[in-house]
DNA sequence: GCTTGACCTCAACTTTACTTGAGGTTGCAC
DNA sequence: GTGCAACCTCAAGTAAAGTTGAGGTCAAGC
């Protein structure tokens, strides 16, 4: 833990591409916990670059900050991941990507059917709601794509 | 255009699974334009069910309401789509789904590499930023996944 | 030893996509 | 011809994910 290994917030911002304000915001949310100098300035570990990268990637996968926090907090001591932790998280994210792709593929398939059948009549379309069936048949919201 | 074909907002809500307030909100945003009774109550066409379904699907694809409005407004007279319009929109959405799937697949591939190489060292990882390269090499934000 | 850019806190504002509530009106069923 | 569920408007609130600004402090180079 050489002094030179501690980064001020501006450096971290430059290296991750995040705004300084965003990093402070993440600290607020408990996603990252920097040291402080005697003068109350934040000092980050190099490994925090990794942590922030993880956050950015997880966000791309559609996780909210709360969920990401949960993932990170589930690590032993809630610390920055070790290699093993890291791989575990990565694999879990991989499976989330798989699910997303599967969902999109399904949507695409249904959309294809919809285009194919010209189902503006909406009597058969899988994508949209069961139309008038909903009027005569069951109630309950969210027919579409769920 | 039989009187019986005009739906009050509550019926439309029930059939689409949307909240009444959400439908009013969409009207506000210009996504849908109901008739009014003499007493100022909204009356929707059956085809508006379709219009709302379209909105819901487009949202699932990650479009914002503004973009959806643009798509719908681009139709002749900005009216509810005809069969041909509909198919055109659907195909355009299909290609957006394709793009999303492609992006996710790429992410997944990179993630696999990342898991494989144990690149906590961050010297080779494609997913995260170029780490210290960013310090010594080029500047500029957003290294991650763009 | 001082100047100046980087840093600090805290409050308020922004955007998207709605929901909730107050206070009032309509229209269908009996 | 009346009751009451369903409708109306408009303002305010909510949640997520930050940004912006005011007013003030720190620390590194000359």
């Amino acid at each position: 833990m050489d002094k030179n290994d501690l980064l001020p917030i501006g450096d971290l911002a430059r290296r991750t591409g995040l705004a300084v304000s965003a990093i402070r915001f993440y600290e607020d949310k408990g996603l990252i916990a920097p040291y402080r100098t005697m003068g109350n300035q934040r000092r980050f570990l190099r490994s925090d670059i990794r942590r922030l990268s993880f956050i950015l990637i997880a966000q791309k996968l559609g996780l909210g900050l709360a969920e990401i926090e949960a993932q990170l907090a589930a690590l032993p001591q809630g610390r920055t991941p070790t290699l093993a932790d890291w791989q575990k998280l990565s694999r879990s994210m991989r499976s989330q990507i798989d699910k997303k792709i599967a969902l999109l593929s399904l949507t695409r398939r249904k959309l294809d059917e919809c285009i194919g059948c010209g189902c503006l009549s909406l009597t058969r379309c899988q994508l949209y709601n069961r139309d008038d069936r909903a009027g005569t048949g069951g109630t309950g919201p969210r027919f579409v794509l769920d």
Side-chain angles (χ1 to χ4, degrees), chain A:
Chain A
M1 298 280 180
D2 190 340
K3 282 263 164 129
N4 295 339
D5 280 350
L6 292 175
L7 309 168
I9 197 167
D11 286 12
L12 191 60
R14 242 165 282 116
R15 293 195 177 183
T16 57
L18 284 165
V20 165
S21 62
I23 297 173
R24 292 203 188 104
F25 178 74
Y26 292 157
E27 185 189 1
D28 248 49
K29 293 276 161 177
L31 292 168
I32 197 162
Y35 296 112
R36 297 288 181 140
T37 63
M38 290 164 319
N40 198 33
Q41 298 199 354
R42 291 169 184 84
R43 287 298 179 267
F44 296 86
L45 298 174
R46 270 165 188 284
S47 62
D48 285 331
I49 296 173
R50 214 145 67 217
R51 202 177 171 92
L52 289 181
S53 296
F54 178 80
I55 292 169
L56 288 173
I57 292 168
Q59 276 191 301
K60 289 244 175 194
L61 301 187
L63 304 198
L65 290 184
E67 292 159 287
I68 296 171
E69 208 248 297
Q71 292 248 24
L72 287 172
L75 294 177
Q77 330 316 340
R79 277 176 298 94
T80 290
T82 64
L83 174 56
D85 294 331
W86 195 252
Q87 293 193 337
K88 204 165 132 228
L89 287 178
S90 301
R91 279 185 223 283
S92 140
M93 289 206 303
R94 209 209 117 107
S95 93
Q96 302 213 31
I97 296 178
D98 284 345
K99 272 189 209 120
K100 277 204 170 228
I101 289 179
L103 180 61
L104 282 175
S105 298
L106 180 65
T107 303
R108 184 170 62 181
R109 214 201 60 225
K110 288 184 174 177
L111 193 55
D112 282 348
E113 282 167 14
C114 188
I115 294 173
C117 76
C119 55
L120 272 178
S121 74
L122 288 184
T123 47
R124 297 182 314 191
C125 185
Q126 302 279 311
L127 256 181
Y128 307 120
N129 79 50
R130 262 112 51 208
D131 191 42
D132 295 63
R133 306 271 308 280
T136 60
T139 326
R142 298 288 147 187
F143 303 113
V144 180
L145 273 183
D146 280 333

